[in-house]
Amino acid sequence: MSHREVVIHVDGRQVAQHRRSYTPADVVLDPAHAQALRIARRARTRLARADADIPEVDLACYDALIEAC
C-alpha cells in the first residue's frame, strides 16, 4: 500500500490493486467488473419484464436414461 495505489488482500491472496483516489465518494471499478455489472443489470431487467428468450429443452435423452434403469 502506498500513497499512489491500494492493494487489497483476502485470506492472504491479492484480490485487487488500483490507483488511490482522494476524491470523496469516488468509486474505483475494474472495467471488466463494470461490464459484468451492466450485463447482470440488463438480464435482471429483461427477466423482470419476462423479455427473456429461454429455449425449449428436449428432455427425451433423460427419459431414455430413466427408462433404461
Side-chain angles (χ1 to χ4, degrees), residues 3-8 15-35 37:
H3 294 292
R4 293 184 181 186
E5 74 175 358
V6 174
V7 179
I8 300 166
V15 296
Q17 179 178 355
H18 59 80
R19 66 175 169 72
R20 182 180 296 274
S21 173
Y22 290 99
T23 305
D26 192 13
V27 175
V28 178
L29 188 59
D30 181 305
H33 294 169
Q35 180 182 13
L37 184 58

Side-chain angles (χ1 to χ4, degrees), residues 44-60:
R44 184 176 50 209
T45 300
R46 289 185 67 198
L47 286 171
R49 290 189 317 224
D51 184 27
D53 297 324
I54 301 173
E56 293 273 335
V57 177
D58 181 10
L59 300 177

